[in-house]
Amino acid sequence: MHYSLLSVLGQALRGQRDWKPQWRDAAPRTEYDVVIVGGGGHGLATAYYLAKEHGITNVAVLEKSHIGSGNVGRNTTIVRSNYGLPGNIPFYEQSMKLWEGLEQDINYNAMVSQRGVLNLYHSDAQRDAYARRGNAMRMAGIDAELLDREGVRAMVPFIDFENARFPIKGGLLQRRGGTVRHDAVAWGYARAADQRGVDIVQNCAVTGIRRENGRVTGLETSRGVIRAKKVALSVAGSSSLLAAMVDLRLPIESHVLQAFVSEGVKPLIDCVMTFGAGHFYVSQSDKGGLVFGGDIDGYNSYAQRGNLATIEDVMEGGMALWPGLGRLRLLRHWGGIMDMSMDGSPIIDRTGIDGLYLNAGWCYGGFKATPAAGFCFAHLIARDAPHPDAAAFRLDRFATGHLIDEKGMGAQPNLH
Amino acid sequence: MSTITLRRAEADSPPVPTGRPQAFRTATGGLIDRRRPLDFSFDGTRYAGFEGDTLASALLANGVRLVGRSFKYHRPRGILSAGSEEPNALVELRAGARREPNTRATVAELYEGLEARSQNRWPSLRYDALAVNALAAPIFAAGFYYKTFMWPAAFWEKLYEPMIRRAAGLGRAADAPDPDTYDRAHAFCDVLVIGGGPAGLSAALAAGRSGARVILVDEDHRLGGRLLAERREIGSRSGADWARETVAELASLPEVTILSRTTLFGVYDHGAYGAVERVSDHLAVPAAHAPRQRLWRITARRAVLAAGAIERPHVFGGNDRPGVMLAGAVRTYLNRFGVLPGQRVAIFTSGDDGWRTASDVAAAGGQVVAVIDARACVPPGLRRAAEALGARVIAGGYVSGTKGHLALKAIEVVDTYGSSETIACDCLAMANGWNPIVHLDSHLSRRPVWDAAIHAFVPGALPSGMVAVGAAGGRLTLAACLETGSRAGAEMAAACGFTAAPRDAPGTDPESTEHTPLWRVARSRGKAFVDFQNDVAASDVELAHREGFRAVEHLKRYTTLGMATDQGKTSNLAGLGIMAELTGQALPSVGTTVFRPPFTPVAIGAFAGHHRGKDFRATRQVPSRAWCAEQGAVFVETGLWLRPAYFPKAGEADWLESVNREVNTVRSHVGVCDVTTLGKIDIQGRDALAFIERVCANPFGTLPVGKARYAVLLREDGFVMDDGTVARMGETHFVMTASTANAAKVMQHLEFCHQWLWPDLDVQMVSVSEQWAQYAVAGPRARDTLRSIVDEGFDIGNEAFPFLACAEVTVGGGIPARLFRISFSGELAYELAVPAAYGDAAWRAIMQAGSTHGITAYGSEALSVMRIEKGHAAGAEINGQTTARDLGLGGMLAKKKDYVGRLMKERPALTDPDRPILVGFRPVDRGARLRAGAHFLAVGAAPSLAADEGVMTSVAYSPSLGHWIGLGLLRRGPERHGERVRAYDPVRGGDIEVEICSPVFVDPKEEKLRV
Amino acid sequence: MRIRCPYCGERDNGEFSYLGDAAPTRPDGMGAEAAAMHDYVYLRENRAGAHRELWYHGSGCRAWLVVTRDTRTHAIDDVSPARDVARTRRTGEAA
């Protein structure tokens, strides 16, 4: 059923009785052209664009739990394309453009809200680094503004301009950045992919990857063997575990990142704001909760929970920046498993095993990348050639030295 | 440690009637202090309550039943519970900068002058304009917003979203900085007992008597849990008296700490627990120097979970009307607070436990009008007792609807034969069984398991060292609470090496917990709410089922069930129960949501503690700080350090004029700069040189004793980590410096290299950054200045102590010091290090010695100008993305030794001749200003990523040259001296032509530093 | 999370900083191959389960430690000074 104001009103009169499942809970068939492992935002978007852009519809998305149960439903919902390095810039801008047309494209309101992303700076050196980044964005045709202190004050007058340990001197603003309702992204892509014939198979865990003569032939799963001409891995924090099934070691570590939400309150802040002198970023959801986060806990983890030291660090950053937060209460905190790569940038590439494709290494940045990751991964799978906007995300860049290290932290995943 | 003081219950002494009348207050009884009336206001109207009241009990005592409006439909809401599970009675407490939105009235302790307001209503609580939303309820079904508001696209941010955001959210946060302070504390114990009800008190007592270190945590201000709320007997006394006596004994045990008003909100790994103590929330404002709250990090060897259970409401049409309450809460208000929640009370139960309410109502002087039990078979004894009180008993029936506008006036009841009737009442007590509090044990990713005997989830396999007792463990009877608590307390103490003498638990009056849950009343009228706070009705669960959102996490996220501030404490199980009915599954196969910390919401300020404002992070001060401050220096944050940036003098128009003067004075006379912030690492041992060879990329084998050398450190991936100097103080003794920003990182790296990579090298190292104050004395008159500082007998002349010499000397008459002839400014320069305690004295001595030579103090700004004039790379260039070759340092790297980063720096992309390399820039129009962060484009090229040739990294106004100069990384830069490019800076409106030149602007032949 | 430092006793993990997997061994010397160095610097097994990893007790005794921790549950089996582990490993390799 097409979603619209009319259909909603019509169903209101009929007691909401005629709505159908938003996607079929498909049982796996024995063979597909493409099997995508991972029913998160990236996997579902890949399936959708395979069908829409390349006409490949004999596709299954396998999810070990239920769709959207990983990072697409655990993040702080921020979207932006304010990157500084040429390997990243066109890709994230493509993602931003896809966000801008997403809801009309998939007929699902994911609440793409371009409320602006403001990165604060606290020193002359930080200002110049942001200018460098903003200038690179502008050269790529992306909106970026460098605000001074008064420009920041006009946007967020409630933060600590008077007594800050690290004074607020200005900020880099991308007005087109903002937030997206995260769960709706998974559900919307699932519904749109399903409408184009993709099978979404839940509660289906992959236990092995079958190969013959150096070529992938299918998957062993908790719901039987599924043959596939092409297998595409899109499993974020579990990437290394899947890769290990074909004896691949990846330049990736899995780390836990915590996210936080406060009790719902009336509107307080209408942009996304990041602190430049501590680990803290915040926005307010449409429901009223402040959604915020900080740094990863910093140690390899497959447990979706973090520890107190990081929590306190995030809250300290919050209070240092915005002392009015003191009496607002933290409602929930949780963890997601990040596939932290060795240079902080992702991998969308072939693997050296015919028919096996990899989409991984997203670090903190996976959610905002969802549409473009799906779009470019679908392109790679369909045409066996990288999409030009994702051409830098090669697996062999660590050997060649074509690193994409935005923060200059080097080969240490927990510093990115 | 806080101690608790208990006041005896006042039942025996005649109450002194004071304060305003409280119409629904019973004449006697309750654990309130009737001699201490308290004045408070709600929505501007003044009322009275008593000490010991919560805001909720005081409101009920005054007959106030409408306290809020619901989230989505703005339906009138009252008080459902008497505890921290409350979904409805959320208010804004206090005002101004202390305003606390979404405060549960059921746990807010009353204090004199308390001020509370209802929230999410306009213009008033009784007449709320947005109550029209209820008319649109057929549209506002779960997830309707995912299906509409999509056209036209631009309207989302402009119209729909602002509208939704204004309507959403409940209370208003304070709009000023929090005026209160917060404390953070650590505590360690053998046995942590979570919950001070009968099970927790028993556990704490058993463990405490053994001598174990026990911490007992309870969220209430008064310990006893349900014992305070029920009329029960333990031994031969009331449960409340038993609790009081037990607490008194616990308080007398030296190793027992009682933390009341403290919520244990989170369980973390390895026996770490988070708790928040509400030190001052029961006061109008905190006492002087007292925090508002204190965040406890408790480390416990063993833990006893005795957090109790939460009663479940029934799901039927109109179950949210003010006056519909949990039966246990009705008993709490009656027995603990001496408040009648209604004059005419009906009871809707599905188990034996709800019947207990009838006699409590009657004992308090209320009328029990009916008891409706969903079970067809009701124990005859219960029926007889209720009928004796004059109550109608309807077995096998159910409540199908409620009447009343802003408060309950009547219920509609359907009996077992299907005939319905209306029964007038002003309070309905719901009893639908109890859910053990399994939130805390699921924080470590443990799933609870279904207990068919009590129709509830109970703790599954717990992390080692943890045990759940009493109701929290699924043992709902009082006798079981006492028994399991006592046993667990003894066992946990024993596990910590203490001997606990076994004692029999005291006897209790009998009780029955027989119960058959009713997940919803299928045929009822009106919206039947599952999640009160998020306005999720049973019909929303049905819709989720219809649309395929059947997995428990999908149900939760699509309908928002369980996502409100109560995290679904009263709603999750009903949601699962209904989904189980719809899918034909058993309830436990639907699953359970994972509860996340915190158990109840915790103030962000409490987590942050004192780390706010200037105290957010420690401040490191340089040794010359006092003198610099006396001189009016302007300080700048550099990492944790505060460094003097420049020293303005009277008559100077701006910072640039001051900096120019400082630079000119250094270049013409002499200046002194505090460079203590540099990292200093003392390295000693037989293999110290071998070690330095492996961690530095340039060769050191030929470095003689008494000489220093510039050092480059690479990361193993081949990029530059840091630069500094290595000075050979003796055959096996070296001092390495690191940049201010990287000091700690370099130290950690060296320790790694030694302890992990090459543990067999005989070398030791220690950071001496804090031990030595270090000053750069630079300029043509530097030697003249230092001659009177360095003790006689040490020749600092150019021949005896040439460029790059180093030595241990004495200054000021025997004070040990280190002298290095190194230069960042390009001038004749020394760095003098003295023990930090002499830092202030040495600085003042240098200023005095230099006064005849025209000395100036110079700050980090002048330092930066001079290093740019000399083309030295610093933080903007050594940013983790550059190689030694990029920085023009490729030539100095060693060829014949292995060192960290040697191989990886040779990767093709890192040796690509097209990489940007460090060069200098000057504006073609010499009057133009340069900006760091500008990108380079060929003159005439259109801006694009492909046209990007590099970036300006550092700029300065050079007083030596009289114009701006810059350093930058440019593709094939060194081959292009004399060429012009554009410095493109659109974010600041800059676009100028610059000329490429050598990065060394001043004294390229390096003559000045060797004189 | 709490880590029992062999020198200082059990401490909160906030006192430590983390480096990563302790399994890769640096290919030392002038004869080392670039490919081996690439694997050492970049490739990780990233195990879900027992993981030997390097921690630095920076706010304590400055010892590098090898901690054996289950990355699924955080249960810690062993904490040893990195120096001892490295020496043992080198002895093993020599033999």
Side-chain angles (χ1 to χ4, degrees):
Chain A
M1 193 188 295
H2 186 76
Y3 288 165
S4 68
L5 180 60
L6 270 184
S7 65
V8 167
L9 290 176
Q11 284 305 308
L13 296 176
R14 285 192 286 279
Q16 313 280 354
R17 272 191 293 272
D18 302 337
W19 297 114
K20 297 283 178 292
Q22 297 197 352
W23 63 88
R24 290 169 298 125
D25 193 13
R29 284 184 274 132
T30 54
E31 183 163 7
Y32 292 92
D33 290 340
V34 178
V35 172
I36 297 162
V37 184
H42 285 214
L44 294 164
T46 305
Y48 171 69
Y49 291 115
L50 269 177
K52 177 177 179 240
E53 301 292 326
H54 306 282
I56 300 173
T57 57
N58 184 21
V59 174
V61 177
L62 307 187
E63 167 54 48
K64 70 178 171 189
S65 174
H66 52 273
I67 63 163
S69 54
N71 294 342
V72 71
R74 292 171 187 277
N75 58 79
T76 45
T77 80
I78 298 166
V79 300
R80 56 185 174 87
S81 57
N82 58 358
Y83 283 74
L85 295 181
N88 278 328
I89 290 172
F91 174 83
Y92 285 100
E93 177 59 8
Q94 188 209 25
S95 210
M96 184 55 76
K97 287 191 172 127
L98 287 169
W99 284 123
E100 287 171 330
L102 181 74
E103 293 153 320
Q104 286 69 30
D105 186 26
I106 62 173
N107 181 229
Y108 207 90
N109 186 359
M111 305 180 200
V112 176
S113 171
Q114 294 181 283
R115 54 181 73 179
V117 172
L118 175 64
N119 301 123
L120 300 173
Y121 61 76
H122 308 265
S123 69
D124 292 355
Q126 219 172 11
R127 176 200 61 212
D128 293 342
Y130 277 145
R132 174 181 182 169
R133 199 206 290 192
N135 286 332
M137 292 164 66
R138 293 278 284 267
M139 288 165 74
I142 302 169
D143 71 305
E145 295 165 50
L146 194 69
L147 304 185
D148 62 10
R149 185 177 157 94
E150 292 315 305
V152 169
R153 196 195 294 272
M155 283 189 76
V156 284
F158 42 81
I159 62 175
D160 191 351
F161 289 94
E162 312 311 326
N163 190 40
R165 171 72 178 81
F166 300 100
I168 292 153
K169 297 201 166 176
L172 179 67
L173 173 65
Q174 185 188 21
R175 290 191 194 273
R176 286 165 63 241
T179 61
V180 178
R181 169 81 184 106
H182 56 6
D183 288 323
V185 174
W187 303 336
Y189 272 122
R191 175 169 165 270
D194 174 84
Q195 285 174 346
R196 288 174 186 266
V198 170
D199 277 359
I200 293 165
V201 184
Q202 303 186 101
N203 299 307
C204 182
V206 170
T207 54
I209 300 174
R210 292 198 164 181
R211 279 183 289 179
E212 275 171 34
N213 305 321
R215 190 178 170 83
V216 163
T217 59
L219 295 163
E220 292 158 15
T221 79
S222 58
R223 299 178 72 173
V225 173
I226 302 173
R227 292 195 300 279
K229 296 189 180 72
K230 294 181 175 181
V231 169
L233 303 182
S234 191
V235 293
S238 301
S239 296
S240 300
L241 306 182
L242 271 291
M245 294 178 186
V246 286
D247 308 317
L248 274 180
R249 275 194 303 161
L250 300 177
I252 285 174
E253 288 179 3
S254 294
H255 284 257
V256 66
L257 174 67
Q258 302 195 61
F260 307 83
V261 64
S262 79
E263 293 183 349
V265 286
K266 294 295 179 192
L268 279 179
I269 176 170
D270 53 12
C271 65
V272 179
M273 177 171 64
T274 75
F275 188 26
H279 304 289
F280 182 75
Y281 40 90
V282 63
S283 65
Q284 189 170 15
S285 80
D286 287 342
K287 267 193 77 186
L290 290 188
V291 180
F292 54 102
D295 214 352
I296 53 178
D297 268 35
Y299 42 83
N300 284 44
S301 176
Y302 285 93
Q304 287 174 328
R305 61 171 190 272
N307 275 292
L308 268 172
T310 308
I311 298 166
E312 290 179 352
D313 184 69
V314 171
M315 305 292 162
E316 289 166 10
M319 279 298 279
L321 177 61
W322 187 354
L325 291 182
R327 306 179 95 82
L328 202 60
R329 301 188 195 95
L330 172 71
L331 173 56
R332 270 198 316 276
H333 68 85
W334 63 93
I337 306 305
M338 307 289 121
D339 36 337
M340 301 297 295
S341 74
M342 284 286 173
D343 63 354
S345 292
I347 296 154
I348 299 179
D349 203 355
R350 288 158 292 200
T351 57
I353 295 167
D354 282 349
L356 185 66
Y357 303 83
L358 178 68
N359 166 35
W362 289 97
C363 305
Y364 295 53
F367 179 67
K368 71 180 82 69
T370 304
F375 195 91
C376 295
F377 199 31
H379 181 104
L380 175 77
I381 297 162
R383 304 199 183 173
D384 262 312
H387 187 281
D389 289 341
F393 298 158
R394 295 171 60 111
L395 188 50
D396 68 0
R397 68 175 183 269
F398 303 96
T400 62
H402 288 98
L403 305 162
I404 316 169
D405 187 350
E406 290 269 347
K407 290 160 91 176
M409 288 299 174
Q412 205 183 321
N414 65 344
L415 298 181
H416 289 296
Chain B
M1 290 289 158
S2 78
T3 54
I4 62 155
T5 52
L6 286 177
R7 187 168 294 115
R8 286 189 63 86
E10 303 301 333
D12 300 337
S13 52
V16 183
T18 41
R20 294 156 194 272
Q22 301 172 35
F24 287 78
R25 187 76 72 179
T26 58
T28 57
L31 301 170
I32 44 165
D33 188 344
R34 291 170 191 261
R35 289 177 306 189
R36 293 174 189 266
L38 300 171
D39 204 48
F40 72 101
S41 78
F42 177 65
D43 275 345
T45 306
R46 294 180 65 189
Y47 302 98
F50 290 121
E51 188 161 305
D53 262 328
T54 62
L55 175 58
S57 67
L59 286 169
L60 287 172
N62 286 278
V64 178
R65 315 167 77 191
L66 171 68
V67 295
R69 288 280 177 167
S70 75
F71 179 66
K72 198 153 90 174
Y73 305 123
H74 288 253
R75 289 168 67 104
R77 290 286 165 81
I79 294 161
L80 179 77
S81 76
S84 58
E85 69 271 33
E86 177 62 31
N88 282 338
L90 308 184
V91 299
E92 286 177 0
L93 191 67
R94 307 175 203 266
R98 288 197 167 88
R99 187 167 66 209
E100 295 155 31
N102 307 334
T103 301
R104 285 153 287 147
T106 50
V107 294
E109 285 178 55
L110 202 65
Y111 56 82
E112 178 63 27
L114 180 147
E115 208 180 319
R117 303 184 73 82
S118 58
Q119 48 189 35
N120 202 37
R121 81 290 183 276
W122 184 85
S124 75
L125 184 56
R126 294 182 70 82
Y127 306 101
D128 180 6
L130 276 175
V132 298
N133 280 6
L135 298 177
I139 302 171
F140 291 172
F144 79 98
Y145 31 78
Y146 298 127
K147 298 168 181 156
T148 181
F149 299 135
M150 283 179 278
W151 188 89
F155 273 35
W156 176 253
E157 285 89 349
K158 291 196 173 67
L159 179 67
Y160 304 133
E161 186 177 54
M163 200 171 69
I164 290 170
R165 292 188 66 191
R166 270 199 300 276
L170 285 169
R172 300 163 303 153
D175 44 20
D178 190 343
D180 292 337
T181 60
Y182 298 83
D183 196 11
R184 284 205 313 224
H186 293 250
F188 298 81
C189 65
D190 297 308
V191 182
L192 171 66
V193 180
I194 303 161
L201 288 175
S202 302
L205 193 60
R209 281 173 174 166
S210 78
R213 293 173 306 162
V214 174
I215 295 178
L216 171 62
V217 175
D218 193 85
E219 62 180 355
D220 210 329
H221 68 276
R222 178 161 190 156
L223 276 74
R226 291 292 311 159
L227 293 177
L228 309 180
E230 308 279 10
R231 297 188 300 150
R232 300 299 306 271
E233 279 177 22
I234 299 176
S236 53
R237 52 214 184 291
S238 76
D241 281 345
W242 178 86
R244 186 165 44 78
E245 289 166 21
T246 306
V247 170
E249 181 177 349
L250 286 169
S252 74
L253 296 172
E255 297 296 338
V256 173
T257 302
I258 299 171
L259 293 174
S260 59
R261 293 192 174 102
T262 303
T263 302
L264 197 122
F265 63 78
V267 181
Y268 301 93
D269 288 293
H270 305 151
Y273 299 81
V276 62
E277 180 183 4
R278 288 173 295 278
V279 179
S280 306
D281 280 356
H282 60 295
L283 306 171
V285 293
H289 309 300
R292 175 186 171 223
Q293 298 181 349
R294 179 177 292 127
L295 192 94
W296 286 94
R297 268 212 226 179
I298 301 171
T299 304
R301 298 170 71 189
R302 294 288 187 276
V304 179
L305 299 176
I310 293 171
E311 196 168 25
R312 306 190 288 230
H314 282 292
V315 179
F316 58 92
N319 61 345
D320 62 328
R321 202 165 311 280
V324 181
M325 301 172 74
L326 294 170
V330 168
R331 298 197 296 277
T332 304
Y333 290 115
L334 292 168
N335 299 325
R336 176 172 175 180
F337 296 108
V339 169
L340 269 172
Q343 306 282 15
R344 296 166 57 79
V345 180
I347 297 162
F348 180 20
T349 185
S350 52
D352 294 354
D353 164 77
W355 292 77
R356 172 188 301 284
T357 318
S359 56
D360 287 5
V361 169
Q367 186 191 347
V368 186
V369 293
V371 181
I372 303 105
D373 194 321
R375 301 171 300 174
C377 287
V378 170
L382 294 177
R383 174 188 281 272
R384 274 197 303 277
E387 283 172 348
L389 299 172
R392 292 267 312 277
V393 172
I394 301 171
Y398 54 85
V399 178
S400 65
T402 61
K403 291 186 172 171
H405 174 46
L406 297 175
L408 184 70
K409 294 212 167 80
I411 54 172
E412 290 173 26
V413 177
V414 177
D415 69 14
T416 189
Y417 308 107
S419 54
S420 66
E421 66 176 300
T422 302
I423 297 175
C425 61
D426 57 359
C427 176
L428 175 67
M430 301 182 282
N432 194 22
W434 295 77
N435 285 335
I437 292 178
V438 294
H439 299 62
L440 294 173
D441 27 288
S442 55
H443 287 176
L444 290 180
S445 314
R446 307 290 175 131
R447 296 272 179 171
V449 296
W450 185 251
D451 184 340
I454 64 164
H455 309 282
F457 284 106
V458 297
L462 289 174
S464 68
M466 215 187 260
V467 64
V469 299
R475 305 293 302 275
L476 298 177
T477 65
L478 177 55
C481 286
L482 299 174
E483 198 268 323
T484 57
S486 182
R487 185 156 36 114
E491 283 172 4
M492 289 305 190
C496 296
F498 296 88
T499 309
R503 297 200 192 192
D504 287 338
T508 68
D509 55 318
E511 67 186 307
S512 163
T513 57
E514 274 300 308
H515 165 249
T516 306
L518 175 67
W519 299 123
R520 64 166 166 169
V521 173
R523 282 184 296 278
S524 69
R525 288 154 48 94
K527 282 243 177 245
F529 285 92
V530 180
D531 183 326
F532 294 95
Q533 195 177 141
N534 266 351
D535 268 350
V536 180
S539 57
D540 293 312
V541 180
E542 289 173 352
L543 178 61
H545 173 257
R546 201 171 295 136
E547 297 199 271
F549 292 93
R550 297 172 189 181
V552 55
E553 276 292 324
H554 282 162
L555 167 66
K556 169 183 150 190
R557 288 158 184 260
Y558 191 61
T559 63
T560 73
L561 192 160
M563 298 186 79
T565 65
D566 58 350
Q567 279 206 54
K569 291 189 177 71
T570 57
S571 62
N572 276 346
L573 201 67
L576 296 178
I578 296 169
M579 184 58 81
E581 277 178 24
L582 293 168
T583 55
Q585 289 173 285
L587 191 147
S589 12
V590 177
T592 176
T593 52
V594 177
F595 295 105
R596 303 286 182 189
F599 174 66
T600 53
V602 178
I604 288 170
F607 284 104
H610 292 292
H611 293 262
R612 54 185 285 197
K614 294 288 187 202
D615 295 331
F616 167 51
R617 291 289 178 258
T619 300
R620 300 177 76 179
Q621 304 281 13
V622 294
S624 64
R625 187 192 71 89
W627 185 92
C628 296
E630 287 162 21
Q631 300 297 312
V634 173
F635 289 85
V636 65
E637 296 76 14
T638 309
L640 293 180
W641 290 97
L642 272 184
R643 296 183 74 176
Y646 57 96
F647 297 82
K649 285 230 156 64
E652 289 174 345
D654 59 8
W655 66 272
L656 188 57
E657 202 178 325
S658 307
V659 173
N660 287 346
R661 171 186 45 76
E662 291 170 21
V663 172
N664 286 331
T665 308
V666 173
R667 296 237 183 269
S668 62
H669 295 79
V670 60
V672 58
C673 181
D674 193 329
V675 294
T676 302
T677 61
L678 290 174
K680 309 173 205 72
I681 301 166
D682 206 282
I683 303 171
Q684 300 191 34
R686 192 161 44 85
D687 295 326
L689 180 62
F691 177 76
I692 286 165
E693 285 278 45
R694 293 188 199 185
V695 296
C696 294
N698 52 322
F700 280 86
T702 57
L703 184 70
V705 173
K707 276 292 199 146
R709 183 173 291 170
Y710 178 73
V712 186
L713 279 76
L714 307 187
R715 299 189 307 228
E716 194 68 277
D717 68 355
F719 292 86
V720 176
M721 172 185 283
D722 199 26
D723 67 348
T725 56
V726 169
R728 190 167 194 173
M729 309 305 292
E731 194 58 37
T732 58
H733 181 195
F734 296 79
V735 174
M736 179 187 279
T737 63
S739 66
T740 303
N742 289 325
K745 188 159 100 181
V746 168
M747 184 67 206
Q748 177 173 342
H749 171 69
L750 297 188
E751 296 275 20
F752 170 82
C753 291
H754 175 226
Q755 295 179 37
W756 181 242
L757 296 183
W758 305 302
D760 293 331
L761 291 184
D762 181 5
V763 59
Q764 292 297 330
M765 64 207 70
V766 66
S767 166
V768 293
S769 301
E770 269 79 18
Q771 281 68 27
W772 295 91
Q774 193 152 322
Y775 304 131
V777 182
R781 314 287 286 274
R783 187 177 294 124
D784 302 332
T785 301
L786 279 179
R787 275 197 208 284
S788 57
I789 299 292
V790 177
D791 287 344
E792 280 184 34
F794 187 84
D795 183 0
I796 60 170
N798 199 30
E799 276 187 26
F801 199 72
F803 181 54
L804 292 177
C806 64
E808 293 191 326
V809 299
T810 58
V811 296
I815 298 161
R818 290 171 174 175
L819 190 66
F820 310 88
R821 193 167 158 198
I822 52 182
S823 175
F824 202 45
S825 58
E827 300 297 325
L828 163 66
Y830 301 81
E831 287 189 14
L832 177 69
V834 297
Y838 294 99
D840 180 72
W843 178 274
R844 290 176 194 271
I846 293 167
M847 287 307 298
Q848 196 183 353
S851 60
T852 53
H853 306 291
I855 196 168
T856 182
Y858 66 101
S860 57
E861 287 292 338
L863 182 82
S864 175
V865 170
M866 288 187 278
R867 73 99 186 164
I868 293 170
E869 287 181 333
K870 288 300 294 178
H872 293 311
E877 290 78 30
I878 303 177
N879 65 352
Q881 299 169 326
T882 46
T883 65
R885 190 176 156 275
D886 298 343
L887 300 175
L889 306 172
M892 70 164 61
L893 301 192
K895 310 270 186 303
K896 293 178 181 162
K897 66 169 186 179
D898 188 28
Y899 54 88
V900 173
R902 178 180 68 89
L903 277 170
M904 287 289 97
K905 76 175 192 309
E906 299 300 330
R907 286 176 286 175
L910 304 190
T911 50
D912 184 343
D914 217 28
R915 273 180 81 86
I917 291 179
L918 189 75
V919 280
F921 297 89
R922 46 185 169 231
V924 172
D925 167 6
R926 293 287 196 266
R929 179 175 182 168
L930 301 182
R931 301 268 187 194
H935 287 245
F936 299 121
L937 294 168
V939 176
S944 74
L945 285 184
D948 192 357
E949 297 199 34
V951 67
M952 189 87 81
T953 49
S954 298
V955 300
Y957 178 81
S958 166
S960 313
L961 300 175
H963 59 78
W964 284 82
I965 58 172
L967 299 176
L969 297 157
L970 179 74
R971 287 190 190 285
R972 296 181 179 266
E975 305 167 18
R976 297 168 66 180
H977 287 190
E979 216 180 286
R980 290 179 180 185
V981 288
R982 278 165 75 187
Y984 183 61
D985 185 30
V987 294
R988 286 172 293 204
D991 187 359
I992 60 167
E993 280 189 27
V994 293
E995 185 184 308
I996 304 163
C997 60
S998 158
V1000 185
F1001 293 90
V1002 167
D1003 187 26
K1005 292 184 179 158
E1006 303 206 325
E1007 287 163 344
K1008 298 180 77 171
L1009 46 74
R1010 293 174 197 278
V1011 295
Chain C
M1 201 152 89
R2 297 179 65 78
I3 296 171
R4 188 177 297 278
C5 172
Y7 303 108
C8 309
E10 190 183 278
R11 300 295 180 91
D12 186 80
N13 76 303
E15 290 190 9
F16 301 82
S17 52
Y18 180 80
L19 186 76
D21 195 347
T25 307
R26 183 179 192 273
D28 272 349
M30 295 301 280
E33 303 264 343
M37 187 61 85
H38 163 270
D39 291 359
Y40 164 74
V41 175
Y42 288 111
L43 298 189
R44 298 289 179 266
E45 216 175 313
N46 192 21
R47 289 184 61 171
H51 190 242
R52 275 158 60 91
E53 57 197 23
L54 286 156
W55 291 80
Y56 177 60
H57 197 187
S59 301
C61 60
R62 305 195 335 261
W64 279 91
L65 306 171
V66 174
V67 176
T68 308
R69 181 180 58 97
D70 191 313
T71 56
R72 298 162 304 180
T73 63
H74 301 328
I76 292 176
D77 268 359
D78 183 65
V79 183
S80 303
R83 183 193 309 262
D84 296 352
V85 175
R87 280 191 177 132
T88 309
R89 186 142 82 178
R90 270 156 204 269
T91 313
E93 275 167 17

